[in-house]
Amino acid sequence: MNKKPIITLTWITLGSSIFFFTFFSDEKTLESFGYNLVISAMYAFGLGLSNGFLNDFLNKKLSWTEQTRLRTILGIVLTVIVNFIVVYGCNYINFVIIQKVSTPDEFFSGKYNFTNWFMVNFALMISAFLHAKGFMEELKKNTKQEVVEQKLIAKSANAQFESLKNQLDPHFLFNSLNVLTALIDENPEQAQKFTTSMSKIYRYVLEKKDKEMVKVEDEIEFAKIYCNLLKTRFEDSVNFIFEVNNDDLQKFVVPLSLQLLLENCIKHNFATSSKPLNIRIFTEGKFLCIENNLQVREQLKESAGIGLANIVQRYALLTKENVFIEKSEQTFKVKIPILIEKNSQTMTTYTSETTENVAYERAVKRVKELKGFYGNLISYCIVIPFLVIINLLTSPKQIWFYWPMLGWGIGLVAHGMTVFAIGKNWEEKKIREIMNNQK
């Protein structure tokens, strides 16, 4: 425990001793003030240090944010036990040893039950404030840490996504120029048509490469144009079959995924008129599939694997769905997920501004809830002791203060359960659980 609590307890001791010496002491002597100072110090430091050490111990062993329920239950149980022991010990020292207004038998006979009960409740209110303060400090620290972590994740994901997108331009251009170079030697007239068509295709690349997702319909139309170009070069050596479900056309895939996979088919397989390469593009459940008969050509140079790796990594940034690769002795198939809704993409959460705003909004909402509870708690800790003092000074034979204390206390407990235990967080968790089960 640092010096700040000690200084605070010292001021509380001095203030309470002056208060009781001024209003409740019959003898206005230096000796009487000394007694008040010693008694006030005993209660202030006894209750303050014991609750402070208990709070620090629980904070080290149990996290408020990760083990809220266990921390709350143990906090309540141990706080009641510690305050019960400390209050009875302080009262015994005060009434039996210091003031000598009671014998040990009288103290434990029940004569001071009300005094002990009142002091225990007062100590518990102070303890509740200390625990609430500790929770608020840890929540503030964790909220700041979460925002920083989310910013780092956002920056890392954005950098990775931009790097992946920047691979598309040179990759597509390099492969297309290779096709064009081969076609110039074989058929100059077709090479001219290929150049014109390639400009249209490259326009699509420039338009779509910065998109996170595109419609299946757009990607299929682009793939058909690209297949026509490949058909121009390979003629009967390559066959393309499109069997895409119409219901999936308005769904989404990552842009240029088909073009990259078609390139892979051509690059890694030989194709001749006698042994044509048959490429089939079709839907299978929630996947868009590209399958070709396996006619592996010998590679003089090991492939860099840019195309397929690019698709896998971009999907990993957008969804939890996996890209599947299935290879047999006869066929090679790649299955890319079809995303149902554009809003389902998760890349929108990887922008630093959005991440910070979401975290900030959650923090603001949580702080408002906590502020309301702590305001209620502090009001309770101030008003109830004030009512107790008024009741005991004006009509000590008619005890009525426990009614507002009990009623308000029940409301405070309910408020605390709403903020820390069940409340809206429980509702949101239950809604998500039901929605996941329905899926």
Side-chain angles (χ1 to χ4, degrees):
M1 183 174 289
N2 53 35
K3 294 181 179 180
K4 187 176 180 180
I6 303 298
I7 296 173
T8 302
L9 292 175
T10 302
W11 281 109
I12 292 174
T13 299
L14 184 61
S16 59
S17 60
I18 293 174
F19 175 79
F20 284 106
F21 176 75
T22 303
F23 295 100
F24 296 97
S25 179
D26 295 330
E27 298 180 6
K28 298 296 189 283
T29 62
L30 186 61
E31 183 181 1
S32 177
F33 179 76
Y35 273 113
N36 277 281
L37 187 63
V38 171
I39 294 171
S40 297
M42 178 181 63
Y43 281 105
F45 281 88
L47 293 173
L49 293 178
S50 61
N51 282 283
F53 283 124
L54 175 62
N55 190 42
D56 291 341
F57 173 78
L58 291 175
N59 286 339
K60 291 179 181 178
K61 298 296 182 181
L62 299 171
S63 170
W64 266 116
T65 53
E66 296 178 3
Q67 299 166 292
T68 306
R69 185 171 299 177
L70 181 60
R71 174 67 174 82
T72 303
I73 294 173
L74 281 179
I76 292 173
V77 173
L78 293 179
T79 298
V80 170
I81 294 173
V82 168
N83 281 284
F84 186 88
I85 294 173
V86 173
V87 166
Y88 266 78
C90 289
N91 284 344
Y92 182 86
I93 295 172
N94 179 22
F95 297 119
V96 177
I97 299 176
I98 297 178
Q99 298 191 46
K100 297 179 181 180
V101 294
S102 175
T103 63
D105 293 336
E106 289 178 346
F107 181 80
F108 291 108
S109 66
K111 180 179 179 181
Y112 289 88
N113 281 350
F114 176 78
T115 303
N116 292 327
W117 174 82
F118 170 75
M119 290 298 299
V120 167
N121 279 274
F122 188 76
L124 290 176
M125 287 189 291
I126 297 174
S127 301
F129 177 77
L130 291 175
H131 287 290
K133 183 175 179 291
F135 177 81
M136 185 64 179
E137 290 175 351
E138 183 168 349
L139 179 67
K140 187 185 296 183
K141 180 178 68 176
N142 288 340
T143 301
K144 289 182 179 179
Q145 183 178 357
E146 182 181 354
V147 171
V148 172
E149 290 176 354
Q150 291 297 326
K151 283 183 178 180
L152 293 175
I153 292 173
K155 290 179 180 179
S156 175
N158 277 336
Q160 185 179 359
F161 191 71
E162 289 300 322
S163 175
L164 290 171
K165 289 193 298 184
N166 290 335
Q167 290 178 359
L168 298 178
D169 276 344
H171 185 253
F172 171 79
L173 187 59
F174 175 78
N175 285 279
S176 298
L177 290 176
N178 279 343
V179 174
L180 181 60
T181 301
L183 199 59
I184 288 173
D185 294 332
E186 297 174 6
N187 193 332
E189 185 178 349
Q190 290 294 340
Q192 186 177 2
K193 293 180 180 180
F194 184 91
T195 304
T196 304
S197 299
M198 194 180 78
S199 66
K200 296 179 182 179
I201 292 177
Y202 199 68
R203 185 183 298 114
Y204 177 87
V205 174
L206 294 176
E207 290 175 354
K208 302 298 183 181
K209 76 178 184 68
D210 291 326
K211 303 286 185 182
E212 292 166 5
M213 291 190 293
V214 294
K215 287 185 179 180
V216 174
E217 182 179 21
D218 295 338
E219 192 71 7
I220 292 294
E221 290 301 318
F222 166 74
K224 287 180 178 179
I225 298 174
Y226 187 71
C227 288
N228 288 334
L229 292 182
L230 295 175
K231 194 75 172 172
T232 300
R233 177 188 174 189
F234 294 99
E235 297 179 344
D236 295 335
S237 300
V238 179
N239 297 316
F240 300 97
I241 302 172
F242 287 86
E243 296 176 346
V244 179
N245 192 334
N246 291 332
D247 294 337
D248 295 323
L249 293 178
Q250 299 304 311
K251 298 176 183 177
F252 299 89
V253 292
V254 297
L256 305 179
S257 52
L258 291 183
Q259 181 260 333
L260 291 172
L261 293 174
L262 287 168
E263 283 183 2
N264 274 358
C265 294
I266 300 297
K267 181 179 179 180
H268 297 292
N269 296 275
F270 68 86
T272 63
S273 299
S274 59
K275 289 185 176 181
L277 181 64
N278 299 312
I279 301 175
R280 180 171 167 244
I281 297 97
F282 63 99
T283 49
E284 184 179 281
K286 59 181 180 179
F287 293 94
L288 181 63
C289 306
I290 298 183
E291 184 181 61
N292 65 274
N293 54 321
L294 207 56
Q295 300 181 160
V296 181
R297 71 166 68 186
E298 294 183 2
Q299 299 285 338
L300 297 177
K301 182 179 179 182
E302 187 177 351
S303 173
I306 292 177
L308 189 56
N310 183 285
I311 295 171
V312 171
Q313 291 178 65
R314 280 194 290 156
Y315 264 107
L317 290 174
L318 292 172
T319 179
K320 294 180 180 179
E321 299 289 342
N322 295 319
V323 175
F324 291 96
I325 301 171
E326 299 177 2
K327 184 178 181 181
S328 66
E329 294 182 358
Q330 291 79 29
T331 61
F332 183 85
K333 181 166 69 173
V334 178
K335 300 164 64 174
I336 59 175
I338 299 175
L339 305 179
I340 298 176
E341 295 181 0
K342 193 170 185 179
N343 291 335
S344 67
Q345 59 183 311
T346 58
M347 271 303 298
T348 53
T349 64
Y350 283 106
T351 62
S352 59
E353 182 179 356
T354 305
T355 303
E356 184 176 359
N357 288 340
V358 171
Y360 179 76
E361 288 174 2
R362 289 178 180 174
V364 169
K365 182 180 178 182
R366 187 61 176 163
V367 168
K368 285 182 179 179
E369 293 177 352
L370 293 170
K371 186 177 179 181
F373 172 74
Y374 294 143
N376 193 4
L377 176 63
I378 293 171
S379 299
Y380 183 83
C381 294
I382 294 174
V383 174
I384 294 300
F386 182 72
L387 294 178
V388 172
I389 293 173
I390 292 176
N391 184 187
L392 296 179
L393 290 177
T394 56
S395 54
K397 295 182 179 180
Q398 297 179 354
I399 304 299
W400 50 262
F401 69 84
Y402 57 80
W403 290 110
M405 184 175 70
L406 181 62
W408 194 351
I410 294 174
L412 186 63
V413 171
H415 192 178
M417 291 182 66
T418 301
V419 174
F420 300 113
I422 49 177
K424 294 181 179 179
N425 290 335
W426 177 85
E427 292 176 4
E428 292 174 359
K429 290 179 182 178
K430 203 65 180 176
I431 290 171
R432 286 196 296 267
E433 181 182 337
I434 293 173
M435 290 178 67
N436 292 333
N437 291 336
Q438 288 177 346
K439 290 181 181 179

